[in-house]
Amino acid sequence: MRPSAGAEPPVAPVETTARLRPIAAPRSAPLPPEAPPRPVVAPARRRPVGSVDLTPPAPGTRPAHPGPAAYSWAPPETPAEMTTRLRPVRTRRPARTVGALACVVLGLGLIGGAATGSWLTGDSSADPTARTGYTETRTLWHSVPVNTLFPRTLRGEGAGPGGADRLWTRIAVAPDGACAPALDPLLLKTLQPVGCVRVLRATYTDATASSVTTVGMIFTEADAEAMGTLNSRFTEQGLDERRDLMPRTLPAKGTAAAGFGDRQRASWTVSVLTEMPVVVYAVSGFADGRTVTDPLPAAEAKADGATSAPAQAGLGHEATGIADRIEGGLRKSVSTATEKPE
């Protein structure tokens, strides 16, 4: 039904309530005690990966019981990974590695080369203590008896002119001496590259005492290469045939060689050995002390058809015959000294 005009609209009713009376708690039930504030657990420090806690517990303490985890607002801890400690890896250095490999390869090459050289040469050069003609001859001049180096007699079968036999007797021996008094100055200068150490000399006469010959051994301090060079020089330049390089004599008073001096030299020979540091020479002349104005090298004095006085007297044969036998004896002594003991 519609309200009549001029009438007031109805008012909504207001809800009214009575004031509530507070209800007191019963006295028989005591209030619960206020709980203490819970401690905030700081987040545990994480161990590095791979580390192991080796710290033993303090004496008299017990390990903490795992128990329930305390409440905390901190984020949960990530469990530490329990593994063995990892070995650190070194930084690679390519240049150092390449250098080390190169040294190894070079060392192996040198060892292999030495072993091959030892095999090819019969290990004589590989062994620093191996006995050779050069190592033994350097001390041979004062360790071998004089009668071995210069025998009292020398036999020369077929060593004379026309293949005649010869017999020579030693009449004088000089003590080992310095090089300057025994050698001509120019010859000494020629031998300077090999270093003259000592000179040994002796004088022989033939069976008829009509000729005399001084034979000598010059010990040097050179090696095989230097002796080979000197030998080539004497051969190529003909130094063994030059009169100004003729060796000196060894005269001896009271013998057939009493008057055997520089002016009595008639024929000579010089031989540079290459298997040992020695130069062997011999110079011959007349026993009567006559002066010789045209001395000849032994090779020329022995040539067929030679008519000079030294050639006719066979003085070239005397020089080479005696020198060859002294050289042969020296080779035998060196060979004995270098033999390996069985």
Side-chain angles (χ1 to χ4, degrees), residues 227-326:
M227 293 300 293
T229 301
L230 182 65
N231 179 60
S232 299
R233 183 183 177 191
F234 264 76
T235 302
E236 296 171 1
Q237 300 181 14
L239 300 183
D240 56 338
E241 297 182 352
R242 286 179 48 171
R243 294 184 180 181
D244 54 355
L245 296 180
M246 194 186 318
R248 285 181 172 174
T249 64
L250 174 63
K253 295 181 179 180
T255 67
F260 188 31
D262 290 346
R263 299 180 62 185
Q264 283 70 41
R265 294 177 294 181
S267 187
W268 76 96
T269 181
V270 178
S271 178
V272 179
L273 308 186
T274 56
E275 68 274 24
M276 62 187 74
V278 180
V279 177
V280 178
Y281 69 86
V283 55
S284 61
F286 294 101
D288 58 9
R290 74 181 70 174
T291 299
V292 179
T293 58
D294 55 345
L296 294 176
E300 294 185 16
K302 293 170 56 178
D304 295 337
T307 59
S308 63
Q312 293 292 328
L315 295 182
H317 292 79
E318 300 290 311
T320 56
I322 294 177
D324 289 346
R325 278 145 188 83
I326 295 300

Side-chain angles (χ1 to χ4, degrees), residues 5 40 76 141 147 190 221 230 256 284 337 339:
V40 178
W141 59 270
N147 290 337
T190 305
E221 57 186 4
L230 182 65
S284 61
E339 287 180 355

Side-chain angles (χ1 to χ4, degrees), residues 86-266:
L86 299 179
R87 179 172 56 86
V89 180
R90 295 180 179 179
T91 305
R92 296 181 179 272
R93 294 180 173 85
R96 182 178 297 179
T97 303
V98 173
L101 291 176
C103 292
V104 171
V105 173
L106 179 59
L108 292 177
L110 293 175
I111 294 174
T116 303
S118 175
W119 175 71
L120 291 176
T121 60
D123 76 0
S124 60
S125 60
D127 184 3
T129 61
R131 296 179 175 181
T132 66
Y134 282 83
T135 60
E136 294 302 312
T137 307
R138 298 189 194 283
T139 59
L140 196 66
W141 59 270
H142 61 74
S143 60
V144 177
V146 64
N147 290 337
T148 301
L149 295 175
F150 298 115
R152 293 183 181 277
T153 58
L154 295 173
R155 293 187 178 274
E157 297 180 358
D165 294 339
R166 280 288 190 265
L167 178 64
W168 299 284
T169 303
R170 191 187 69 195
I171 58 176
V173 176
D176 61 276
C179 302
L183 302 177
D184 183 85
L186 188 56
L187 178 59
L188 183 62
K189 183 178 180 181
T190 305
L191 298 177
Q192 186 175 1
V194 295
C196 180
V197 176
R198 218 67 178 167
V199 178
L200 276 64
R201 298 177 294 166
T203 298
Y204 288 82
T205 186
D206 66 339
T208 62
S210 60
S211 67
V212 287
T213 303
T214 293
V215 60
M217 290 183 287
I218 304 171
F219 289 81
T220 74
E221 57 186 4
D223 56 10
E225 182 179 358
M227 293 300 293
T229 301
L230 182 65
N231 179 60
S232 299
R233 183 183 177 191
F234 264 76
T235 302
E236 296 171 1
Q237 300 181 14
L239 300 183
D240 56 338
E241 297 182 352
R242 286 179 48 171
R243 294 184 180 181
D244 54 355
L245 296 180
M246 194 186 318
R248 285 181 172 174
T249 64
L250 174 63
K253 295 181 179 180
T255 67
F260 188 31
D262 290 346
R263 299 180 62 185
Q264 283 70 41
R265 294 177 294 181

Side-chain angles (χ1 to χ4, degrees), residues 57-76:
T61 62
R62 298 176 57 187
H65 191 275
Y71 179 81
S72 173
W73 288 106

